[in-house]
Amino acid sequence: MPATTAARRDVLVRRIRLFVAATISYNVIEAIVALTEGSRVSSAALVGFGLDSAVEVASAAAVAWQFSAPDPEAREKTALRFIAFSFFALAAYITVDAVLKLFGIEEARPSPIGIALAALSLVIMPVLSWAQRRAGRELGSRSAVADSKQTLLCTYLSAILLIGLLLNALLGWTWTDPVAALGIAVIAVREGMTAWRGDPCCP
């Protein structure tokens, strides 16, 4: 391997570690806020969003573990499997909780804090995802790209969550909260399957 290529590889590995650290830090805060607020207002969507943040932390930690090894590729399959299982577990929990809420077990109350959190994540997550995905593709790391997709998933979830919370707050449509949660579950299953297959990240 040429020296320049090796040097570039080292740069990319350091970048991925940095992006992973940033993702973990933000998502820890996001998870705490979403889970606390979701429990307070009985919001399946907010709780699901918070759990997704926790899963993202676990996913980022798996990638950090992979890239802490001298040969990251040797740990890639294990990291991908962990990411996939995290998605599936998230989807299962959200689905059960959302169905219970949808059939009137408990209605969600409006949450200005949840709305603000969703809007903030809608801005931050795409930037982190794009940066990590770019580095992961150049490095040829499927797990780094899979983790970046999980971060991008947070963008979609933020949009779904924001719509659901706004409709509930402005129009009193409490059913939009569990419906938004089910949308989160569907996306999580899809991304879990992608990670499980280990779809190539590069052409």
Side-chain angles (χ1 to χ4, degrees), residues 86-98:
S86 297
F87 272 124
F88 295 146
L90 169 67
Y93 178 87
I94 293 175
T95 299
V96 172
D97 190 45

Side-chain angles (χ1 to χ4, degrees), residues 43 45-46 49 110-123 153-171 173 176-177 179-181 184:
S43 169
L46 259 177
F49 188 72
S111 173
I113 293 176
I115 291 172
L117 178 65
L120 182 62
S121 296
L122 199 55
V123 174
L153 171 64
C154 187
T155 303
Y156 304 143
L157 302 188
S158 299
I160 293 172
L161 176 65
L162 185 59
I163 292 170
L165 293 179
L166 283 173
L167 289 175
N168 186 19
L170 298 176
L171 302 177
W173 292 357
T176 59
D177 184 89
V179 167
I184 291 173

